[in-house]
Structures are given as C-alpha cells and as structure tokens.
C-alpha cells in the first residue's frame, strides 16, 4: 500500500481563475510528498536488478520475491538473497513514482524497516556478514539501470558504493542487527534512515525513481526481508 500526501489548494485556485475568466498562468507551489509502502501487501510495480560485477563474477542465485516473514514475525515481506562473487555485489529494487512538481528539487528522507538474522561484529570471508553489507536508499529522475562497460556491469547513475554515498543514493546503515551471536543470530527488525536529506531534481513530468538496495563487501550470501519503506520529499526553497 502506498500513500501520497498532497495539498490541492493551488489546483483549486487555478480552476476558479479559469472559470472567472482570469489568467491561468498561475504556477502551483510545490508541496511535500510522502510515499508509504508496506511490503506485506505485495505492492505492484517494484522491479529489481543487480550490478557491480564482471562477466566472470555475475551472480547466478539472486532471489527477489514476496515470502512469509520468519518467526517471530507474521505476514509477508520482500525477500532479497544473493551470493557476492565479485566482492562488490549490489542487489537493488526500484519503482517509478509520479505526483511530484516537475523540474523541482526535493530534499528526500528515507526510512526503511527490514528483518535480518545477521549479527553485528562478526568476521567473514572478505568482510563482516553484517557490518560489510551496506543498505542504500536513493532517488533519480532517470531510471536506475545496470549497463555494461567493457567487461564490467555497473549502474548508470552515481549511487555510491559499499560504505560511500553517491549523488543519487545514500548509505542508510548496515544489515547487522542488534544481536552479537555470530553462531546463530535470531531474526530481528531493524530500522534504517539517512542522517542528511538527499537532494534530487524531478523529471519534467514530475516523476522520480525510488531505489533501495544491498551493497555487499562480504564474499558469500546475504539476505534480508523488506517490511516497509517511507520516503518524505520536501521541496527545496530557493
């Protein structure tokens, strides 16, 4: 389920002016937009992809599908799984949203709730299974895509990499939960968010692509369940 929060006063004013024979050159003032997605309802429109690998290290076991959440949780979530063979695998989900003001810069805040059974502070192959798998949130006016450059498959946008944020995405945290049991950590809920808003300009049709994903420096398998996401977009005052 997704919810968009808009104020329609500007549209009403424009309609009244036109009906009274007044000018229709009035430009509505951009207003805040909120996106809420609960993955237990299997919301449509989300696509997934992978990047940051070569022809030789291309992942062969990536899974992104709706599944029943593990105990002690109930309901469903969006399950993401994959083996990092390139030491830098990025597994992402994306969706295009409309309803923003066109050609307008917004400051975006991301909040994501995930379920993970990976402990914090443990050692693994190439890195920590919890502390070396970073969770990203981002947005772009153009569709985020994986493109081939030589023998490498990379993103067509600057979304950063591993522990570093980019122009169109930020690191919200890692997938390690509150457990320190490196043997068998329980499934736990974890909330992730950005400390500083991400500023992105919308497309001419008032749309943005929203992006979330895992960037792994752990050279083995990683998985999480997405429970929900919230994106708050505030117009940037000039």
């Amino acid at each position: 389920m997704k919810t968009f929060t808009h104020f329609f006063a500007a549209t009403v004013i424009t309609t009244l002016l036109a009906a009274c024979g007044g000018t229709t050159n009035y430009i509505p003032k951009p207003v805040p937009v909120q996106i809420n997605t609960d993955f237990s309802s299997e919301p449509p429109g989300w696509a997934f992809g992978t990047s940051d690998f070569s022809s030789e290290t291309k992942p062969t076991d990536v899974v992104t599908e709706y599944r029943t959440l593990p105990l002690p949780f109930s309901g469903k979530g969006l399950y993401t799984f994959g083996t990092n063979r390139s030491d830098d695998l990025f597994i992402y989900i994306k969706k295009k949203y409309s309803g923003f003001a066109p050609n307008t810069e917004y400051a975006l805040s991301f909040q994501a709730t995930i379920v993970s059974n990976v402990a914090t502070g443990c050692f693994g192959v190439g890195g920590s299974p919890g502390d070396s798998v970073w969770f990203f949130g981002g947005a772009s006016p153009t569709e985020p895509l994986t493109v081939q450059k030589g023998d490498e498959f990379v993103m067509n946008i600057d979304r950063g990499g591993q522990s570093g944020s980019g122009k169109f995405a930020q690191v919200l945290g890692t997938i390690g939960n509150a457990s320190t049991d490196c043997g068998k950590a329980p499934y736990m809920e974890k909330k992730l968010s950005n400390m500083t808003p991400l500023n992105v300009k919308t497309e001419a049709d008032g749309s943005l692509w929203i992006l979330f994903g895992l960037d792994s420096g752990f050279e083995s398998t990683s998985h999480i369940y997405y429970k929900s996401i919230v994106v708050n977009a505030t117009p940037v005052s000039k």
Side-chain angles (χ1 to χ4, degrees):
M1 178 179 68
K2 57 180 181 292
T3 303
F4 298 92
T5 303
H6 296 277
F7 299 97
F8 295 99
T11 303
V12 173
I13 292 172
T14 302
T15 304
L16 290 173
L17 285 171
C20 296
T23 179
T24 58
N25 293 327
Y26 177 80
I27 299 176
K29 182 179 179 181
V31 295
V33 176
Q34 185 182 79
I35 298 170
N36 288 305
T37 299
D38 182 352
F39 288 103
S40 67
S41 62
E42 301 188 21
W46 287 91
F48 80 94
T50 57
S51 73
D52 296 7
F53 54 84
S54 67
S55 299
E56 293 184 354
T57 59
K58 183 177 181 179
T60 59
D61 61 351
V62 174
V63 177
T64 303
E65 63 184 19
Y66 293 102
R67 289 188 178 183
T68 300
L69 291 171
L71 294 174
F73 302 94
S74 60
K76 288 188 174 182
L78 180 59
Y79 179 73
T80 294
F81 171 96
T83 299
N84 175 21
R85 300 175 58 225
S86 65
D87 194 29
D88 192 25
L89 180 64
F90 185 52
I91 305 174
Y92 61 90
I93 62 172
K94 63 182 180 180
K95 184 174 181 178
K96 185 178 183 180
Y97 284 93
S98 58
F100 299 90
N103 299 314
T104 300
E105 186 177 4
Y106 282 83
L108 286 84
S109 296
F110 304 95
Q111 297 91 40
T113 301
I114 65 171
V115 171
S116 166
N117 70 337
V118 183
T120 296
C122 303
F123 295 99
V125 181
S128 168
D131 306 325
S132 297
V133 183
W134 294 271
F135 187 87
F136 278 74
S140 170
T142 57
E143 181 177 3
L145 295 169
T146 300
V147 296
Q148 185 173 2
K149 291 186 177 181
D151 190 48
E152 300 295 321
F153 293 81
V154 297
M155 296 296 294
N156 65 332
I157 62 170
D158 175 13
R159 59 96 192 165
Q162 298 206 349
S163 61
S165 299
K167 181 178 179 180
F168 295 107
Q170 293 179 339
V171 176
L172 308 188
T174 63
I175 67 170
N177 63 26
S179 173
T180 55
D181 184 352
C182 298
K184 191 175 181 180
Y187 277 100
M188 303 175 72
E189 186 177 280
K190 183 172 185 178
K191 296 184 182 296
L192 301 132
S193 61
N194 53 335
M195 300 296 292
T196 304
L198 177 71
N199 285 17
V200 178
K201 189 176 181 180
T202 60
E203 188 59 276
D205 63 356
S207 65
L208 275 178
W209 284 86
I210 302 300
L211 173 80
F212 289 90
L214 302 182
D215 193 332
S216 178
F218 170 56
E219 297 177 36
S220 188
T221 61
S222 296
H223 69 280
I224 62 164
Y225 293 82
Y226 290 84
K227 282 192 71 178
S228 64
I229 61 168
V230 178
V231 181
N232 286 294
T234 304
V236 176
S237 300
K238 298 297 184 179

